[in-house]
Amino acid sequence: MQTTAVAAASKRGKASPLTDEQKILLFRNLMLAMALDRMMMRVIRAGRMVGFYHEGGIALAPGVAAGTFLRKEDILWPHYRAHGLAHMLAKGIDVKLYVAEHMGREAGCCKGRSSFHFSFPQDHVFGLSGNIGANFPMVVGYGFAAKYKKTDQVVMNCSGDGSYGEGRAHEALLISALWKLPVVFWLENNGMAQHSGEQDLFPGKEISVLAAGYGIPAMKVDGQDLFACAETALAAIAHTRSGKGPIFIECRTLRAQEHSVGNLNNEGPVKRDQKLMDEWKATRDPLKIAAARLIEEGLLTETVFTEWQAEADKQADAMDEFSEASPKAMPSVEELYTQVYAGKGN
Amino acid sequence: MTDTRELTLCEAIREAYIDEMRRDERVFMMGVSIQAGSFPHTKDLTPEFGTHRVVDTPLAEPAIAGAAIGAAQEGLRPIVDFMYAGFSYYAGSEVFMQASQYYFLHGSQLPLPLVFVGTCGVGRRVANEHSTLPYGALIHHPGIKVCMPSTPYDAKGLMKAAIRENNPVFFLWHTSMMSFKGHVPTDDYVVPLGKADVKREGTDVTVLTAGMQVHTALKTAEKLKDEISIEVIDARSFEPFDRDALFKSLEKTTRLVIVDEDFERAGFSAEISAQVMEHGYDLLDAPVKRVCHPNFPIPGGYMDVYTMPTVEKVESAIRDVCR
């Protein structure tokens, strides 16, 4: 059993399983994800968003990697950083409908009534929960259903380190291992849960060691290295799709800002070190790291970078405009009463 | 006339599982030790349906309840047996928040057909966790349907309706009624959710109740038959609740006693009293009277005499509304 290993396999000198096309796709997905994240920050700061927003910042490479190689029928439960926009756009979902949802619009993917929840059932993305860790029981169900229906669907179960405090996480590890369910436990560990640091929440340094107790193979990867994350995602998806049961991936990433917009930025009683966070933004930005690599490999130039960046920003702005153009969702109370239960059964 | 046989309540529920699993491959069951059959309604189902459709799980209620939601989202029609309904409280987030409210919150796009099953009921001296009746708490949360049978006929019909329903349903049954016998047709039938049943007709007082307490009410009605004519209405479903059936009865009797084995405070009986006050005040000739579990935790031991609705308590309430 492989308990730890792999890592930045994409370091120069090692052969990468990624094609040039895949690298460019990943890079542009990350670029768009970060552009969307900036746009969402502008929207919430302008007071045009309903509900919360949890900035993704420089923590979006794992999400892009987790989503990019999934098939339409694979189940994705995104992590809530940047509200799963990175994961979902990478899976090919029309996320402008989710942007509109954040603004409470009729065009929203849940008719403007869910705040920051989402649902794209046709794309096998079923929702976000404000109750952290709610994903774990559901992914048992997705995995069970895949086996029951004898499909080769993969369940990409993304979550943060905080969610592993929930008993549900341990129940899901247990049952997934017991029933050999096709679940990727994709941990995006930024070392912070709300305003508490990992040293106050976990007895060890790595959460992936939990997997060993359940006989689940685990891998760790640098979450700031987009291509390393992507290689690991490919390996994890292949492992799971081939019927070998669950796998645990720990992406080590960074939270260079407060938990949610307008909130505290403490670690316990102490304010977090702004200088350190600024340094991370300068040196550990996954887009800059990936761009340097692509330039080195001759797949990107500064000029093309600027062009693509402008395109991504334009796409993000278009989603904002699309949402603004849609009327605020205000159905009548009578209509809402008709929406509580689904119609006739089987 | 269709053929009927005498079955126990649990045998009737079991027949519903068998019928519906034969009818629809998407139906499967999950729970702790259901293969052996902690209770007889899940006994010996594996020879026909296999361990992949009658699935024993670890003791992990949140995961089991959430797995039902996930499996339903992926097109299956799960039945989750919590064994005791009190055990479902472990899965509070899944039952009250996720299953109940998913459909509405996520834009009413994807129906969530699933059934939670749990046994409950006071009077077995086993204290709160093995007795608690969660229907008051459940109906507080919009989005889940809740029912409880008082006869084997209703048990089979309600369970079949629950399995065919396109929404989450919590099916409760009373532990003390496990071996309660009654006639059940061999032919296919359902008892629709949201349809009350007049279990005894009367003209002076309406007693609204459900589950095991239907029988307490019937015994009381029989005892008082020469004095007071009592109509016994079995709610069968707490949500949707058949208010029309109740009001139709009140038009005749003008007096209402609610017998509710759950806690008195903020439960089913409180809800129905309020509905009658708001929408049926003119129908009444006397204030509504309730017989409920007192507002302290369900004790174990010999104190069930204080907590169970009894013929004496129901009689006293009926006499009160007739004064």
Side-chain angles (χ1 to χ4, degrees):
Chain A
M1 192 184 65
Q2 190 179 19
T3 47
T4 52
V6 182
S10 64
K11 272 192 187 126
R12 232 161 24 105
K14 276 197 180 172
S16 169
L18 298 170
T19 64
D20 291 350
E21 290 73 23
Q22 285 174 325
K23 285 181 197 165
I24 288 167
L25 174 67
L26 285 156
F27 181 75
R28 297 198 71 175
N29 279 345
L30 179 61
M31 203 169 218
L32 179 58
M34 292 176 79
L36 283 174
D37 191 43
R38 288 192 296 276
M39 177 273 287
M40 295 292 268
M41 290 299 289
R42 281 198 306 276
V43 171
I44 194 167
R45 283 185 173 138
R48 293 191 290 118
M49 195 181 289
V50 293
F52 309 112
Y53 188 66
H54 301 78
E55 187 179 358
I58 57 170
L60 297 183
V64 167
T68 297
F69 304 117
L70 295 179
R71 299 175 186 166
K72 187 180 172 73
E73 65 274 18
D74 289 334
I75 296 104
L76 169 67
W77 188 295
H79 178 35
Y80 74 78
R81 273 285 140 218
H83 289 194
L85 284 165
H87 306 73
M88 287 196 277
L89 76 86
K91 194 175 189 272
I93 288 168
D94 186 4
V95 294
K96 72 172 182 293
L97 305 175
Y98 184 41
V99 173
E101 188 67 25
H102 276 88
M103 291 158 73
R105 304 305 168 128
E106 282 177 7
C109 59
C110 301
K111 301 184 184 150
R113 72 171 75 131
S114 81
S115 180
F116 58 95
H117 299 70
F118 49 73
S119 192
F120 294 92
Q122 65 285 4
D123 294 301
H124 299 265
V125 176
F126 298 106
L128 179 73
S129 175
N131 284 12
I132 293 297
N135 50 308
F136 290 108
M138 317 266 196
V139 299
V140 170
Y142 306 142
F144 177 87
K147 283 197 89 161
Y148 190 91
K149 295 185 287 182
K150 298 190 169 69
T151 69
D152 65 351
Q153 287 166 292
V154 165
V155 184
M156 183 59 78
N157 170 39
C158 307
S159 64
D161 37 318
S163 68
Y164 280 86
E166 297 290 345
R168 287 163 173 78
H170 301 260
E171 293 176 14
L173 287 169
L174 168 72
I175 298 178
S176 300
L178 185 67
W179 295 346
K180 276 187 167 291
L181 299 182
V183 180
V184 179
F185 288 86
W186 183 266
L187 164 61
E188 302 177 19
N189 184 351
N190 65 13
M192 290 291 300
Q194 190 97 359
H195 318 304
S196 302
E198 59 190 329
Q199 70 287 347
D200 293 330
L201 303 177
F202 292 98
K205 272 206 169 282
E206 291 161 11
I207 296 175
S208 51
V209 298
L210 291 174
Y214 298 103
I216 298 173
M219 296 155 89
K220 286 185 302 168
V221 63
D222 175 2
Q224 302 311 106
D225 184 338
L226 174 65
F227 302 125
C229 288
E231 286 165 15
T232 312
L234 272 178
I237 291 167
H239 170 98
T240 315
R241 207 180 303 282
S242 68
K244 291 188 184 128
I247 191 166
F248 195 109
I249 309 296
E250 180 165 3
C251 309
R252 189 70 206 194
T253 186
L254 299 163
R255 199 182 92 191
Q257 74 287 327
E258 72 271 35
H259 166 67
S260 61
V261 176
N263 220 319
L264 288 171
N265 197 5
N266 268 32
E267 188 161 344
V270 183
K271 229 176 144 36
R272 294 178 76 210
D273 183 354
Q274 189 59 50
K275 256 177 69 182
L276 181 62
M277 287 186 284
D278 290 343
E279 192 187 307
W280 288 346
K281 285 181 193 169
T283 63
R284 307 280 287 133
D285 181 327
L287 194 69
K288 289 179 191 162
I289 295 170
R293 169 96 176 277
L294 291 183
I295 289 169
E296 206 177 277
E297 291 180 7
L299 296 170
L300 182 71
T301 64
E302 296 282 355
T303 321
V304 173
F305 180 96
T306 314
E307 265 173 40
W308 284 353
Q309 183 78 72
E311 245 175 77
D313 284 327
K314 218 172 120 186
Q315 259 182 285
D317 289 345
M319 293 189 198
D320 179 7
E321 285 156 26
F322 165 83
S323 305
E324 272 293 335
S326 172
K328 284 181 182 160
M330 288 290 290
S332 66
V333 172
E334 290 72 26
E335 191 185 334
L336 288 175
Y337 266 114
T338 68
Q339 303 281 298
V340 181
Y341 292 104
K344 215 167 153 42
N346 191 23
Chain B
M1 272 298 281
T2 62
D3 290 339
T4 72
R5 312 110 317 145
E6 211 168 55
L7 295 181
T8 66
L9 188 99
C10 272
E11 285 166 350
I13 298 172
R14 185 173 172 276
E15 269 202 1
Y17 295 150
I18 292 171
D19 283 4
E20 295 306 304
M21 283 204 283
R22 281 180 187 159
R23 188 176 170 266
D24 188 342
E25 288 227 332
R26 296 167 300 173
V27 179
F28 72 95
M29 308 176 60
M30 265 187 190
V32 172
S33 295
I34 60 170
Q35 293 173 355
S38 297
F39 287 111
H41 63 103
T42 67
K43 227 177 173 52
D44 295 328
L45 293 169
T46 54
E48 178 169 353
F49 300 106
T51 52
H52 70 293
R53 285 184 81 187
V54 181
V55 185
D56 271 4
T57 68
L59 283 69
E61 285 78 5
I64 303 164
I69 300 168
Q73 288 168 334
E74 272 294 312
L76 301 184
R77 304 181 75 87
I79 303 167
V80 164
D81 183 21
F82 282 116
M83 198 181 314
Y84 286 95
F87 300 171
S88 71
Y89 284 29
Y90 278 114
S93 175
E94 282 67 29
V95 173
F96 296 120
M97 204 67 90
Q98 317 298 342
S100 301
Q101 299 177 43
Y102 174 82
Y103 178 74
F104 176 92
L105 199 71
H106 289 83
S108 306
Q109 300 176 69
L110 187 66
L112 220 51
L114 61 90
V115 184
F116 294 135
V117 186
T119 184
C120 56
V122 184
R124 293 170 65 84
R125 300 175 174 163
V126 289
N128 57 345
E129 288 128 327
H130 290 78
S131 304
T132 204
L133 300 106
Y135 51 81
L138 285 164
I139 61 169
H140 183 69
H141 296 83
I144 189 161
K145 298 190 176 182
V146 189
C147 63
M148 182 156 81
S150 67
T151 65
Y153 176 91
D154 287 350
K156 184 174 175 184
L158 283 171
M159 179 56 88
K160 285 165 76 84
I163 296 169
R164 294 180 195 181
E165 172 68 35
N166 251 351
N167 293 285
V169 180
F170 209 125
F171 180 101
L172 296 161
W173 61 277
H174 198 293
T175 321
S176 297
M177 295 191 70
M178 199 187 314
S179 306
F180 186 98
K181 284 187 173 165
H183 286 282
V184 177
T186 48
D187 283 3
D188 184 46
Y189 71 98
V190 296
V191 171
L193 299 166
K195 267 263 172 275
D197 188 36
V198 178
K199 287 287 195 280
R200 180 185 174 114
E201 287 192 13
T203 52
D204 298 332
V205 177
T206 300
V207 177
L208 172 70
T209 184
M212 173 84 165
Q213 295 318 320
V214 168
H215 301 284
T216 311
L218 289 172
K219 276 181 210 151
T220 315
E222 186 59 25
K223 184 182 171 191
L224 301 179
K225 68 169 187 264
D226 297 330
E227 246 185 289
I228 305 168
S229 168
I230 295 159
E231 178 141 303
V232 177
I233 297 189
D234 178 359
R236 296 199 291 201
S237 296
F238 304 103
E239 166 62 30
F241 172 67
D242 191 350
R243 200 164 76 192
D244 293 345
L246 174 64
F247 281 16
K248 207 177 135 203
S249 176
L250 289 179
E251 279 167 18
K252 186 168 53 170
T253 64
T254 73
R255 291 178 163 81
L256 175 62
V257 170
I258 306 174
V259 183
D260 180 359
E261 206 176 309
D262 193 3
F263 301 116
E264 183 184 66
R265 182 166 52 222
F268 175 68
S269 65
E271 166 62 22
I272 300 308
S273 302
Q275 287 194 26
V276 171
M277 188 70 127
E278 286 178 345
H279 306 287
Y281 185 71
D282 291 342
L283 299 172
L284 293 180
D285 282 334
V288 175
K289 197 81 192 161
R290 295 186 284 160
V291 180
C292 305
H293 192 284
N295 289 323
F296 51 73
I298 302 166
Y302 292 101
M303 281 154 280
D304 52 357
V305 287
Y306 307 142
T307 57
M308 285 292 286
T310 57
V311 169
E312 291 68 35
K313 290 178 195 172
V314 176
E315 178 183 341
S316 157
I318 289 168
R319 291 195 185 284
D320 274 356
V321 299
C322 289
R323 244 189 286 181

